[in-house]
Amino acid sequence: MNVNVSRSPLTIRLCGPRGFCAGVDRAIQIVVLALKGYGAPVYVRHEIVHNRYVVEGLEAKGAVFVEELDEIPEEHRAQPVVFSAHGVPKSVPADATARNLFYLDATCPLVSKVHKQAMRHQRLGRHVILIGHAGHPEVIGTMGQLPEGTVSLIETIEDAEAYEPADPDNLGYVTQTTLSVDDTVGVIAKLRERFPNLNDPSADSICYATTNRQEAVKQAAPGCDLFLIVGAPNSSNSKRLVEVALKAGAKQSLLVQRASEIDWDAVGPIRSVGLSAGASAPEVIVNEIIEAFKARYDTTVELAEFSIENEHFLVNRELRSIELTHEDMAWVNG
């Protein structure tokens, strides 16, 4: 470890809000409560959220992560299986029912809202355009709510320019929740330019948490020598925060999963650091990184707060009688 003996002064601009959104918090609580109420193992289809620390922490408590339901052994079919916060195609709960599995759906309520918006477009006879990233679990889940051939994925302005629908006057769009207004404005403008009768979703699809975290980073980034985003490489919203920090004026921006990933020699001389976390990143890692800087610099922490979030989503009805304590969540919340 290359400790800075001179302990140069350093200011950390700590973004607020940061880290867990209400949907991620709810999904993790569902697994924790299922383990408390039903005992191990509790099976989880795919990563519950995009964060290795969270996944490994739940594994240590007795969660077993599987890619598909047929991996659950016959003798454990009575144990709960949890669907991830990103949402799943309709075929997944149907498969669970056919296998007589007890499942708990941890789909974020804001993702479920997009599912309903897409189904409403389709019910009204419109072809659905989904603005999002190919292969992302949320996109797979949303497309899986609709019959094959009734939804088209658009990722970029170029895609929107090249898109040739069968009925240009009968289209409706929805967006992946983890995109921001900035991410989608150009695509939507191009689609509207080409298809003036394009129907909006019945309510805004963009997740409040995505927008809030990006706005906080924009506010904190100007003049930062370094901006660190805590998050996973497969986290769409975390990677976007890195881009937002650079665009807003940070001299360099990096995505890190733990303090151990920081290359202190490569950081160079710095006096100001921005710090935020993607919606799947736990607060304990933010604290870990702050402590790593305090060990090397004479550190002052300033809060760069854009807004205060007080959203809370209820867990599944089957779990509401099980007590959730501070100690149950201390491993992620600190």
Side-chain angles (χ1 to χ4, degrees), residues 319-332:
L319 303 174
R320 292 177 196 170
S321 63
I322 305 167
E323 183 186 12
L324 184 74
T325 67
H326 172 79
E327 289 71 25
D328 291 329
M329 298 295 287
W331 61 284
V332 283

Side-chain angles (χ1 to χ4, degrees), residues 42-50 52 55 59 64-73 81-84 86-89 91-92 95 99 101 135 137 140 234:
V42 167
Y43 287 86
V44 185
R45 184 185 179 275
H46 294 178
E47 289 188 336
I48 186 70
V49 296
H50 284 155
R52 283 309 306 168
V55 168
E59 284 177 332
V64 178
F65 289 82
V66 296
E67 286 303 303
E68 298 301 341
L69 300 181
D70 60 9
E71 297 174 47
I72 299 173
V81 56
V82 181
F83 302 152
S84 83
H86 308 105
V88 294
S91 58
V92 173
D95 185 26
R99 295 174 185 274
L101 296 175
I140 294 169
N234 59 340

Side-chain angles (χ1 to χ4, degrees), residues 220-261:
C224 280
D225 298 315
L226 171 66
F227 211 110
L228 292 178
I229 303 298
V230 182
N234 59 340
S235 168
S236 173
N237 74 88
S238 299
K239 290 192 293 185
R240 182 68 177 115
L241 288 176
V242 174
E243 299 167 8
V244 168
L246 289 170
K247 191 173 180 181
K251 293 176 184 175
Q252 57 176 325
S253 183
L254 301 171
L255 182 69
V256 294
Q257 297 186 81
R258 301 294 299 268
S260 58
E261 292 186 6

